[in-house]
Amino acid sequence: MTWNNKFSADAGSIDASEIRELLKILADPEILSFAGGIPDPELFPMDQVRAFRERMAQHPEQDRQLMQYSQTEGYEPLRSWVARTTSSEHISVLKENVLITNGAQQSLTLLAAALIDAGTPIGVANPTYLGALQVFGARRPVFHTIETDLDGLTIEGVEKAFKAGVKFLYTVPDFQNPGGMTIPEDRREKIIELAHKYDVVILEDTAYRALYYDCPPPPSLLELEGKFLGKDNWNDKGLVVQLGTASKTLMPALRVGWSVAPTAMLEKLILLKQANDLHTSTVNQTLAYELANNILDSHLETLRTVYGERCKAMIEALRQYLPNSVTFTPVKGGMFVWLKLPEGMNARKLLEKALAEEKIAFVPGAAFHANGGGDNTLRLSFSTCSPHIIHDGMKRLADLIRREL
């Protein structure tokens, strides 16, 4: 008996995540990992989590209610917080525009179900977030890859994809995973203009937006669309759907994310979530709200200081040690630095030698390319290593690259 002929076409289209498979190798404590794009657990606000649990234990009736079923849309105070922090002078977002999800990954899953049929043309950056490619790929679309430069998506590439009839564009405009690029404001404005000219939905993933180490990123695509349409017109005429998450700023295990969308889209996402899992954990939503409403600003300052030092250490070490034939993105936020090796050098083969000879791990870049390519690229993460470890690791990586050259 074989299961291979039992699976649906969607299930058969899913491949194993290269990063998830790599993380199994990283269980070896001798491996120095620059692979996983994860927050440092040492920075989790555990004192506040314990205080929340103690408060709940003193109110047993309320504590029990947090373990009950709740509404699909999400915990109302948390939805209001998202709406409040998303609104600006250019856009008015209401809690009715917010759906709480099990991380931003579920937002991607629901949006894929709402927008993609087999053969649907969609636009993605080249490279782009691997988790999005997995979700979208399970629906069997036709990927139109859009080239990037040090400022992210190129306008020529975006317009070419829009002219080709893509249904939506997925983008991480701030400190992109994996490339680290940030799209400048003038390009963002042009992307909004083109979206309305060609009637293309934009999925804006803001997972890393708050993690800036120099200055804040430009206004979000959602905010700029509000400016383009008029503050109160977005809900009726908007094409931007924004995804957010607490995973990078608070804790991944909360599994709390959100979608901000015009009402017509949000209503469909609510129905899809009802069919998917009914609702996100009530106790986790409540904890996320308490943390976000009370300590997030000060916590973000800590994250920006610590991650900023690590980011600076990686950039300085790469500048010091890498041969001139290797280029990288000079990032100012997020968690990643993107390397481009000389043509002909294969990052997967380099990883094998890095693990065997230097006990160092990174993520080969080919997995982030929807239509192939990128064999000579790789992603490094600085979020979980101290500056002196980063410095040592980058020297060893550079020495390995030199030996390969």
Side-chain angles (χ1 to χ4, degrees), residues 127 175-181 329 331 336-338 379:
F175 319 118
Q176 193 224 34
N177 178 4
M181 308 86 74
T329 49
V331 298
F336 308 107
V337 178
W338 183 250
R379 190 193 76 178

Side-chain angles (χ1 to χ4, degrees), residues 39-112:
D40 188 342
E42 294 295 324
L43 301 176
F44 292 164
M46 297 308 297
D47 289 343
Q48 290 79 6
V49 173
R50 281 188 287 271
F52 172 80
R53 289 171 175 163
E54 290 169 1
R55 287 199 308 274
M56 290 301 99
Q58 293 170 9
H59 300 85
E61 289 302 318
Q62 183 180 355
D63 203 14
R64 288 190 186 93
Q65 195 59 36
L66 294 184
M67 304 300 168
Q68 184 57 279
Y69 287 113
S70 63
Q71 61 180 351
T72 301
E73 292 87 337
Y75 182 54
E76 286 202 11
L78 180 59
R79 293 169 65 209
S80 295
W81 177 85
V82 172
R84 185 171 67 253
T85 55
T86 305
S87 296
S88 73
E89 62 177 316
H90 297 304
I91 188 164
S92 178
V93 176
L94 305 176
K95 75 175 189 294
E96 288 76 17
N97 298 116
V98 178
L99 170 66
I100 305 300
T101 58
N102 281 309
Q105 197 71 9
Q106 188 184 43
S107 290
L108 287 170
T109 301
L110 300 177
L111 286 161

Side-chain angles (χ1 to χ4, degrees), residues 301-345:
E301 290 302 316
T302 299
L303 296 183
R304 289 171 187 149
T305 298
V306 175
Y307 291 156
E309 291 172 352
R310 296 173 183 180
C311 178
K312 181 180 178 181
M314 181 168 282
I315 295 298
E316 289 179 348
L318 291 172
R319 282 178 175 155
Q320 181 176 352
Y321 295 120
L322 278 181
N324 291 335
S325 56
V326 180
T327 60
F328 63 92
T329 49
V331 298
K332 297 180 180 180
M335 294 181 172
F336 308 107
V337 178
W338 183 250
L339 265 64
K340 187 174 183 180
L341 304 168
E343 291 293 336
M345 184 176 286

Side-chain angles (χ1 to χ4, degrees), residues 292-404:
N293 198 47
N294 293 303
I295 61 105
L296 182 58
D297 289 344
S298 60
H299 183 60
L300 279 173
E301 290 302 316
T302 299
L303 296 183
R304 289 171 187 149
T305 298
V306 175
Y307 291 156
E309 291 172 352
R310 296 173 183 180
C311 178
K312 181 180 178 181
M314 181 168 282
I315 295 298
E316 289 179 348
L318 291 172
R319 282 178 175 155
Q320 181 176 352
Y321 295 120
L322 278 181
N324 291 335
S325 56
V326 180
T327 60
F328 63 92
T329 49
V331 298
K332 297 180 180 180
M335 294 181 172
F336 308 107
V337 178
W338 183 250
L339 265 64
K340 187 174 183 180
L341 304 168
E343 291 293 336
M345 184 176 286
N346 188 290
R348 281 196 178 95
K349 293 180 179 178
L350 186 70
L351 173 63
E352 293 174 5
K353 294 190 176 184
L355 289 167
E357 299 176 17
E358 298 292 347
K359 296 290 184 180
I360 291 176
F362 54 80
V363 182
F368 301 98
H369 294 71
N371 290 327
D375 291 335
N376 65 324
T377 60
L378 62 93
R379 190 193 76 178
L380 297 168
S381 175
F382 51 78
S383 57
T384 58
C385 297
S386 63
H388 76 275
I389 290 177
I390 290 172
H391 191 273
D392 174 63
M394 294 305 98
K395 184 179 186 304
R396 288 156 57 189
L397 176 61
D399 288 345
L400 175 63
I401 292 173
R402 288 182 184 279
R403 292 199 300 272
E404 290 302 296

Side-chain angles (χ1 to χ4, degrees), residues 126 149 156 205 207 224 259 269 319 353:
N126 200 33
D149 57 21
E156 295 79 9
D205 190 336
L224 290 174
S259 296
L269 295 178
R319 282 178 175 155
K353 294 190 176 184

Side-chain angles (χ1 to χ4, degrees), residues 51-233:
F52 172 80
R53 289 171 175 163
E54 290 169 1
R55 287 199 308 274
M56 290 301 99
Q58 293 170 9
H59 300 85
E61 289 302 318
Q62 183 180 355
D63 203 14
R64 288 190 186 93
Q65 195 59 36
L66 294 184
M67 304 300 168
Q68 184 57 279
Y69 287 113
S70 63
Q71 61 180 351
T72 301
E73 292 87 337
Y75 182 54
E76 286 202 11
L78 180 59
R79 293 169 65 209
S80 295
W81 177 85
V82 172
R84 185 171 67 253
T85 55
T86 305
S87 296
S88 73
E89 62 177 316
H90 297 304
I91 188 164
S92 178
V93 176
L94 305 176
K95 75 175 189 294
E96 288 76 17
N97 298 116
V98 178
L99 170 66
I100 305 300
T101 58
N102 281 309
Q105 197 71 9
Q106 188 184 43
S107 290
L108 287 170
T109 301
L110 300 177
L111 286 161
L115 295 171
I116 302 175
D117 295 308
T120 298
I122 66 173
V124 296
N126 200 33
T128 196
Y129 171 48
L130 174 58
L133 292 181
Q134 284 188 295
V135 170
F136 299 154
R139 306 288 301 182
R140 295 172 291 139
V142 174
F143 286 107
H144 288 253
T145 54
I146 300 169
E147 290 308 310
T148 57
D149 57 21
L150 291 179
D151 287 327
L153 292 168
T154 63
I155 294 302
E156 295 79 9
V158 170
E159 185 158 23
K160 181 180 178 182
F162 286 8
K163 284 181 177 179
V166 298
K167 191 170 187 178
F168 68 80
L169 165 66
Y170 168 75
T171 180
V172 187
D174 314 301
F175 319 118
Q176 193 224 34
N177 178 4
M181 308 86 74
T182 296
I183 301 175
E185 185 169 352
D186 59 340
R187 285 198 193 184
R188 296 179 189 224
E189 290 175 340
K190 186 63 177 177
I191 289 170
I192 294 298
E193 291 176 18
L194 291 172
H196 282 269
K197 178 179 178 180
Y198 293 99
D199 193 30
V200 177
V201 173
I202 299 177
L203 308 184
E204 179 186 26
D205 190 336
T206 63
Y208 307 95
R209 182 170 175 79
L211 298 179
Y212 56 84
Y213 313 131
D214 183 9
C215 59
S220 69
L221 292 169
L222 181 68
E223 184 177 359
L224 290 174
E225 186 178 46
K227 183 179 179 181
F228 178 81
L229 293 172
K231 182 173 183 176
D232 299 319
N233 294 326

